[in-house]
Amino acid sequence: MKISLVEPSIKYKDSFLKGINEYFNMDEDIEGTGFIQKKLKNSYTDAEFNKEIIEIYKEHKKGVNLPSTDWPSYSETWIIADGVFVGAIFDKDYFPTKNSESGGNIGYFTVPSFRRKGIMKKAMELYIKQIKKDKIIGCEPSNIGSRKIIEYLATKFKNIKEEDGIFTFDDGTKITCIRWRFIA
């Protein structure tokens, strides 16, 4: 399977819509989908898709029109396997917690029908090779799939260190998180 990382593009419109809607049909936590917080229409014209999806990603990368005031600017990279959208990687400029000294945070999600195929391991390995500043990659202890991916990355890169912590977000929410710090 050929895996590549690309900027969001209208070229992958149909498989993106199918993948995002599959994710929402699983009724899972939607945190990993960036600004898209609900199921999308099954079809968009190219103009609608460009305006409602692609242009919004470009604005968010610049820190413009973010979903809420506590969101950092972020870039999104789409994961393409054999020409099909299978997931995304989100790179936030900072981790919005009161107790974080991080330079940023990396998150990701995989379309459910493409999980457990090694795609995210390979995609994250490709992505980490291009990082230029310190980042945190983390997951809740119960997220076994993400933990396995991150532990795999720690075996590939010597500059990833495991840390544990309780993070307090600006809104007061606390989560226990196992995290790995990537030192660029």
Side-chain angles (χ1 to χ4, degrees):
M1 185 174 296
K2 182 178 189 260
I3 296 175
S4 57
L5 303 177
V6 302
E7 292 288 318
S9 167
I10 201 159
K11 177 179 178 180
Y12 304 103
K13 174 181 78 171
D14 293 337
S15 61
F16 172 83
L17 293 171
K18 182 179 177 188
I20 289 293
N21 288 334
E22 177 185 329
Y23 191 80
F24 283 102
N25 287 337
M26 297 288 293
D27 198 30
E28 292 187 358
D29 178 6
I30 59 173
E31 186 175 320
T33 57
F35 80 90
I36 298 172
Q37 300 292 307
K38 63 183 181 352
K39 189 173 178 179
L40 299 173
K41 299 185 298 187
N42 287 324
S43 80
Y44 284 74
T45 66
D46 286 353
E48 288 173 326
F49 189 80
N50 192 48
K51 180 180 178 188
E52 296 178 33
I53 307 295
I54 303 300
E55 290 305 315
I56 289 174
Y57 282 130
K58 289 178 183 177
E59 288 179 349
H60 290 181
K61 189 173 185 176
K62 295 175 189 172
V64 176
N65 294 327
L66 294 166
S68 72
T69 56
D70 61 347
W71 271 51
S73 59
Y74 69 94
S75 61
E76 179 164 331
T77 300
W78 286 1
I79 303 163
I80 306 301
D82 294 335
V84 175
F85 172 87
V86 298
I89 298 170
F90 303 93
D91 193 336
K92 297 175 184 171
D93 289 339
Y94 66 91
F95 196 55
T97 65
K98 293 180 179 181
N99 59 336
S100 177
E101 64 288 342
S102 160
N105 169 253
I106 299 173
Y108 49 84
F109 84 95
T110 309
V111 171
S113 60
F114 289 96
R115 293 179 181 163
R116 294 180 209 49
K117 297 177 190 263
I119 293 169
M120 189 56 73
K121 281 183 181 177
K122 180 65 176 167
M124 285 297 293
E125 189 174 347
L126 291 170
Y127 192 79
I128 284 179
K129 288 178 182 177
Q130 66 187 17
I131 292 175
K132 304 255 188 288
K133 66 188 218 182
D134 294 1
K135 297 287 179 176
I136 288 177
I137 307 169
C139 65
E140 293 182 19
S142 61
N143 188 338
I144 303 301
S146 284
R147 184 176 181 130
K148 285 181 179 180
I149 290 167
I150 300 166
E151 287 172 344
Y152 166 80
L153 294 171
T155 68
K156 293 288 188 182
F157 299 93
K158 295 185 188 289
N159 49 349
I160 293 181
K161 307 283 187 248
E162 184 173 354
E163 304 172 343
D164 291 330
I166 296 175
F167 295 94
T168 305
F169 288 83
D170 292 338
D171 67 0
T173 304
K174 292 184 180 189
I175 63 165
T176 300
C177 184
I178 298 168
R179 70 180 187 176
W180 288 259
R181 180 180 301 280
F182 174 81
I183 315 289

